[in-house]
Amino acid sequence: MTERLATKIADLTGPGITDRFGVGGTDLGTTATAPQGHLVSVFGDTFRQAGVGGPGWRSPVVLFADPASVAAGLRWTGAAGRRGAARQVVRYIHHGWRRHGWRLRRVTTVLPTDVITVGDDMYLHVMVCRELGNVRWTELHRSRDGGRTWRPTGTRWPADLHDGLFQMLTWERGTDGWVYALTTGFQREHGLLLHRVPETELTDPAAWQTWGIADDRWGWGNPPTLVLPGRFGELSLRRLPDGHWLLSAFDAGRYRIDVRVLEGPTADLHRAPLATVLRGCDWDCEDHAGGHVAQLYGGYVLPGSTLHELHLAVSQWNTATGWPYRAMQFQADISQLP
């Protein structure tokens, strides 16, 4: 392990930045490139005012950005919604009821985990929650207009699938026609599982395969085996144009964000070159230029990243005061890792 601590490039959300979209406080910001070429960033619990709570509670919301702006900090060009306001792109009512099978379930919020583009479609994986950490089920939504509108695919997974380790998800397309996904629970108490699915069958739960050990050998279709133990939160798996794969992960147990450089999706995560790019700290010890951030989480790889210029969307939430509650962009150089 080495340290390549990142430097903050810009605040991505908050007063003076996203007010025109009705976004004051928000978090997350997982991002993918739309078929039309613009960037689509998906955020979680969002409020009109800076901070947590108050009017305008929505989740998830979508902002659009110019891909040419990544190096200097994402420049927002619009939002999914009417008259410029970022609306909630999944239909439900906070603290309301949603039907799951033949039962009605109380739902507090719906949180995004990752977004991916396959052909002309974009897919959004979300966790349907009753309070943070309590997942009712997960589901897929599809956009066929570059992230402007989203519709449910009807694909759902139970919250206890694979002992609850198929809740938080990140995914990426391979060069072989498969989508690879790393998953964990939403409690920041668990390790990672690996899955794959043909990209043409993304919405078919029966087509998903797990990676595991049987007869002392790793293979697809075996019962799932942890590929990395730990206490993980937000995840971001992305393939770079040079062929390297990156896994950015919030390590709640060590209070930091690490990035691993992989030769492929089935690489041994225990041995993959690893850099700690951000460290959590107390509020009176913050140094965003030096990679120390209080109450950090997230860490989503932005499109356009390279090993020399890795760009991450990182969240921060002061749970005592409610602000800051925002997404920020950090940059690191991890080119010495592979």
Side-chain angles (χ1 to χ4, degrees):
M1 187 198 80
T2 187
E3 284 199 341
R4 294 287 187 270
L5 292 181
T7 296
K8 185 161 81 172
I9 299 299
D11 290 331
L12 294 180
T13 65
I17 304 170
T18 50
D19 305 87
R20 66 189 187 278
F21 307 118
V23 175
T26 192
D27 69 345
L28 305 181
T30 183
T31 303
T33 303
Q36 297 82 358
H38 60 273
L39 300 187
V40 175
S41 296
V42 188
F43 295 88
D45 287 322
T46 299
F47 305 89
R48 192 172 303 139
Q49 300 169 352
V52 176
W57 186 12
R58 293 149 287 154
S59 180
V61 303
V62 171
L63 297 180
F64 305 127
D66 180 355
S69 68
V70 171
L74 292 182
R75 181 176 63 83
W76 305 118
T77 59
R82 297 179 180 176
R83 296 182 292 277
R87 68 173 179 86
Q88 182 172 287
V89 298
V90 174
R91 184 174 296 179
Y92 71 101
I93 298 173
H94 294 272
H95 290 297
W97 299 85
R98 287 191 62 188
R99 185 171 297 281
H100 186 56
W102 55 272
R103 298 180 62 185
L104 288 175
R105 294 292 185 94
R106 191 80 171 179
V107 170
T108 305
T109 191
V110 173
L111 298 176
T113 69
D114 208 356
V115 62
I116 193 171
T117 297
V118 179
D120 293 331
D121 295 337
M122 302 190 77
Y123 294 90
L124 174 63
H125 179 267
V126 299
M127 300 180 293
V128 179
C129 302
R130 181 171 184 179
E131 311 301 341
L132 295 179
N134 182 7
V135 179
R136 293 295 205 183
W137 68 85
T138 66
E139 61 189 28
L140 287 186
H141 294 255
R142 179 194 287 116
S143 175
R144 289 176 163 159
D145 57 5
R148 290 169 176 79
T149 60
W150 297 82
R151 297 290 182 269
T153 64
T155 304
R156 290 182 172 184
W157 290 274
D160 61 356
L161 181 64
H162 303 314
D163 295 324
L165 300 191
F166 195 85
Q167 296 177 359
M168 190 91 73
L169 171 151
T170 183
W171 48 16
E172 177 62 294
R173 295 174 66 195
T175 58
D176 54 0
W178 294 82
V179 168
Y180 294 87
L182 286 161
T183 65
T184 190
F186 186 35
Q187 300 76 30
R188 295 179 175 168
E189 297 176 354
H190 305 290
L192 306 182
L193 298 179
L194 178 65
H195 319 255
R196 71 174 184 178
V197 61
E199 59 182 40
T200 57
E201 300 177 61
L202 199 66
T203 60
D204 180 6
W208 287 69
Q209 301 177 4
T210 52
W211 178 249
I213 295 176
D215 299 324
D216 296 323
R217 297 187 63 181
W218 286 90
W220 291 109
N222 293 332
T225 304
L226 283 181
V227 293
L228 191 65
R231 296 175 55 198
F232 292 102
E234 291 76 26
L235 307 168
S236 184
L237 179 68
R238 293 295 185 264
R239 179 168 53 89
L240 300 183
D242 68 3
H244 286 102
W245 291 61
L246 297 182
L247 172 63
S248 173
F250 174 56
D251 188 329
R254 296 181 174 91
Y255 196 24
R256 70 192 194 198
I257 292 175
D258 295 328
V259 176
R260 290 169 171 83
V261 180
L262 315 177
E263 293 301 319
T266 60
D268 186 345
L269 297 184
H270 295 268
R271 299 183 178 182
L274 176 151
T276 296
V277 294
L278 289 163
R279 286 195 173 275
C281 65
D282 293 333
W283 284 97
D284 57 358
C285 298
E286 280 206 296
D287 176 14
H288 289 189
H292 291 84
V293 180
Q295 291 197 255
L296 81 168
Y297 55 104
Y300 300 102
V301 179
L302 293 178
S305 289
T306 66
L307 295 179
H308 287 278
E309 288 193 19
L310 168 65
H311 290 271
L312 300 173
V314 177
S315 291
Q316 181 182 49
W317 176 13
N318 187 326
T319 53
T321 65
W323 181 262
Y325 177 63
R326 63 187 174 188
M328 306 170 288
Q329 183 173 332
F330 283 78
Q331 177 185 319
D333 180 354
I334 60 169
S335 59
Q336 300 302 312
L337 278 187

